[in-house]
Structure formats: structure tokens, C-alpha cells
Amino acid sequence: MSQFNELLQWGIENSAGGQPQATNGAPRNPKSLNPELLAQLLGGPSDADRMREAMLAITAPSDKVDLENKLIAWDNFEQLIENLDNANNMQALGLWMPLVEQLGSEEAECRRYACWCLSTAVQNNAPCQERCLAVGAVPKLLKLALEDKEQSVRKKAVTALSSEVRNYQPGLDELAKNTPKDIWAGDEKLDAGEMEQVDKIIGPLRERAAKP
């Protein structure tokens, strides 16, 4: 509520045509206010609104939203979830399943963006790593990494797996369990907190994905 009062005070001062008054010797700066609160009070869409709108465009039938506009929506969505709070809000907004379902899109660019967004969401983010595992994304990403016909998709899938399993033991255990023996023999239990051990499985996956 203090930020609301601060915004209200700033609005009163500026509507009167004066300069923002100093607070503790420093000018009151509206840019320092919570952008979500500012957007709501000024009638603009919140980040949550933009995330939902982007996913609606991404999942819309191709006769409603063409690929060019879907890719714009993907780019917007990825940028939004670079913000940790927005990434953690994906579950409350019901966006995890639609995102994971895009790993099976007929469009290679949509599959690639889905991998990219998963990588962004889970990187150094335990709650999202947990959610990614819970919705069954690890085996789907592994399948793309090994079998997708597009190299760009395979490489992004490995990037997403790498982000998912680092410092997250359940994710690494799931990956190790599903990885073919010719890539990881499973002779030892890997420690997700040791990057050299994680790379014992991610490295061969990355090499396989990079092949033409």
C-alpha cells in the first residue's frame, strides 16, 4: 500500500503542474515504482496479461494466427519470462502445459522456441525446475535432442536440459534414467551440484545434437 500512496502522491504533484517533490533529499522518480502496479493503475496490460495473450497467439490455429505472428508472440513470451517473478507465475496462469505441448508442434520454429522458453524459465530457478519435471518435459526434451530432424531444435533441447538439471538432482536423475546407454551408461550416480559430472551426460548429448 505504501507504493500505492507514493504513486498517488506523485500523480497529485504532477497533475498540479509542479515538479515531483523530494523524498529524503532525492527527487521522487516514477520509474522506481512497481511497474505492475503502475500498469494496472494507468490501465495498461500487466505482464501476466501479456504472457497469456502471447500464449493464446502461440496456440491459436494457423488460420487465425500465421507463423510470423506466432514467432513474434514467442519472442515476447521469452522476454517476459526472463523476469524471475514472471517465470514463477507461469504455473498460476496455467501456462506450463500449453508451453510443453508446443514441443510437439508441427512447426520447427515453434518447437525450437518452446525449448528456448523452457531453458529460460528453469535456469537457476528451482521452482520452475520442479515444475518442468512434474509436467513431464524432460523425456520430451530428450526425444527432441536425439531425434528432431532440425539441428537448431536439437541444440535448443539440449540447452533446455542443461538448464533443467544443473543444481537440481531430481531432474538429473530423470535425464540419466531416460538417456540411451550409448550416450550415458549409467555406471555412476551423477551429482547435479558438480558441473563436471553434469557435463558427463550433457556433453555427449550436445555432441550428438550438433551432428548434421
Side-chain angles (χ1 to χ4, degrees), residues 79-130:
Q79 290 185 51
L80 284 163
I81 63 173
E82 287 178 357
N83 179 290
L84 187 67
D85 290 337
N86 287 342
N88 289 335
N89 200 27
M90 285 170 55
Q91 181 176 358
L93 296 174
L95 298 177
W96 270 100
M97 289 309 300
L99 174 57
V100 171
E101 287 169 359
Q102 287 297 305
L103 295 174
S105 172
E106 294 181 358
E107 294 287 351
E109 276 297 283
C110 288
R111 298 195 302 274
R112 185 180 73 88
Y113 257 113
C115 294
W116 187 356
C117 288
L118 285 170
S119 178
T120 298
V122 303
Q123 188 170 22
N124 301 316
N125 186 343
C128 282
Q129 287 175 309
E130 293 173 6

